[in-house]
Amino acid sequence: MPKTSTRLLALLSLLQARRDWPGALLAERLAVSPRTVRRDVDRLRELGYPIAAVKGPDGGYRLGAGTHLPPLLFDDEQAVALAVALQSASASGAGIEEAAARALHTVRQVMPSRLRHRIDTLQVVAAERPAAPRADSGVLMALAAAIHAHQVLRFDYRPASPPEADHGGPPTPPRRVQPHHLVTWGGRWYLVAWDLDRDDWRTFRADRIVPRSPTGPAFAPRTLPGESVAAFVTSRFRGSSSTGDWPCRGEVILDLPAAGVAPFAGDGIVEALGPDRCRLTLGSWSWPGLAAAIGRFDADIEVVGPAELKTAFADLARRYSRAASGCAPG
């Protein structure tokens, strides 16, 4: 029979692996008697682990949530994954950098030397947008709680940039929404919600939200347009109201090899037409924006279509010509 300390760790690992464990199955996995399992469960309870007895024909045990955090048990892969996630927390935009650093230090202190060495050699630098504002972790928790409880949320929505002066205008009324999803996009956190006053779906930047208390009544969740939350958010930021595709998409032929265009085409489609010629299909939020994006490739361009893209190139050509000559728009 394994030593008691080793057996307790094995029992704790099993209890963390699934929700309910029949007592007889635990005894079989640990190669001990059901009586020994009962004694070991009592020892874990004394150490602070909230283990509940499950009633039923087979009986059993369940590891629940307690009032404080008892010691945790991770296998090697879980410990490394946790350390990587904590090192990457600075790019999450959730304002938890200091707490993540303290958590990583705590986890590292109790790691065996072989894992501590692996973690020390794995230094992750999280690259982030320097200007991206941080969302308050308390606000994120409040939004998540309202989403989970399906409760109407009232909040003040601060302007994207503070006004230079207070002109004494009327205060902006609080927004009233049915919160559905909390998502990240481009280093920022967003709330996806049904706006009760505008009778439509809206996305709100979490760093601009100031929740009001208390929350409102419960609501029945709505079906979000699109195939998924990711598709909906992608479509909104691309300027489309229904699908995840760009509202403007065109096709051109460039006098460049496909291998030189593909790395800079984003989600565009590049088709080789020869050693120094390729077809590029690309999307954007507007026709001038699409023409400008294609124009950054240093090559001759043949527009295949549509006509709106040709018009956009002509409009940009006139603007660029005026800019080059120093003439003011007429």
Side-chain angles (χ1 to χ4, degrees):
M1 179 184 297
K3 293 190 298 184
T4 301
S5 58
T6 303
R7 196 176 63 246
L8 288 177
L9 289 176
L11 174 58
L12 180 58
S13 179
L14 290 173
L15 290 171
Q16 290 179 160
R18 55 184 278 184
R19 179 173 175 80
D20 294 321
W21 277 95
L25 183 56
L26 281 176
E28 179 182 342
R29 293 288 293 271
L30 296 171
V32 297
S33 66
R35 182 180 179 182
T36 300
V37 171
R38 289 194 295 271
R39 288 202 303 265
D40 287 347
V41 167
D42 289 337
R43 291 190 179 97
L44 289 176
R45 286 169 174 163
E46 292 173 358
L47 293 173
Y49 292 95
I51 303 175
V54 179
K55 298 180 180 180
D58 298 328
Y61 303 95
R62 174 187 301 163
L63 181 62
T67 57
H68 65 283
L69 189 66
L72 301 177
L73 181 66
F74 299 104
D75 60 31
D76 289 7
E77 291 183 353
Q78 289 174 325
V80 172
L82 177 62
V84 172
L86 290 172
Q87 290 189 54
S88 304
S90 62
S92 69
I96 57 173
E97 298 85 354
E98 182 182 348
R102 288 189 284 107
L104 179 60
H105 177 74
T106 301
V107 171
R108 184 186 177 281
Q109 290 296 104
V110 297
M111 282 182 175
S113 59
R114 69 177 189 282
L115 281 185
R116 193 180 305 121
H117 176 71
R118 290 179 63 185
I119 296 304
D120 290 343
T121 58
L122 180 62
Q123 296 297 322
V124 179
V125 178
E128 56 181 313
R129 296 181 178 182
R134 295 293 183 187
D136 184 88
S137 58
V139 171
L140 295 179
M141 294 300 295
L143 299 180
I147 293 170
H148 180 74
H150 303 306
Q151 291 180 327
V152 171
L153 186 67
R154 296 185 309 123
F155 59 85
D156 296 312
Y157 200 49
R158 296 180 298 198
S161 57
E164 296 181 357
D166 184 4
H167 298 290
T172 304
R175 308 297 287 266
R176 298 185 311 116
V177 303
Q178 296 175 343
H180 281 70
H181 302 282
L182 194 59
V183 300
T184 60
W185 175 277
R188 289 192 176 105
W189 287 84
Y190 292 89
L191 173 68
V192 178
W194 177 265
D195 194 313
L196 292 171
D197 296 318
R198 290 156 179 81
D199 199 30
D200 194 11
W201 291 99
R202 290 289 190 272
T203 56
F204 301 93
R205 273 175 45 180
D207 61 285
R208 295 170 55 187
I209 292 177
V210 181
R212 289 195 175 194
S213 297
T215 54
F219 63 88
R222 299 170 183 265
T223 301
L224 192 68
E227 299 177 355
S228 64
V229 180
F232 172 81
V233 174
T234 299
S235 67
R236 287 302 171 103
F237 282 100
R238 287 181 173 179
S240 174
S241 59
S242 56
T243 67
D245 197 10
W246 293 105
C248 302
R249 183 171 290 274
E251 183 179 327
V252 299
I253 294 177
L254 301 175
D255 287 343
L256 285 174
V261 174
F264 308 100
D267 61 354
I269 300 173
V270 182
E271 177 188 356
L273 300 179
D276 298 308
R277 192 172 170 83
C278 69
R279 184 193 311 273
L280 172 63
T281 303
L282 194 64
S284 183
W285 61 89
S286 68
W287 294 114
L290 179 56
I294 296 173
R296 64 192 174 93
F297 292 101
D298 188 14
D300 289 335
I301 303 168
E302 176 187 342
V303 178
V304 178
E308 290 87 349
L309 181 56
K310 292 184 179 181
T311 301
F313 271 113
D315 292 339
L316 288 183
R318 287 190 291 270
R319 294 175 188 171
Y320 292 159
S321 178
R322 287 195 298 266
S325 64
C327 297

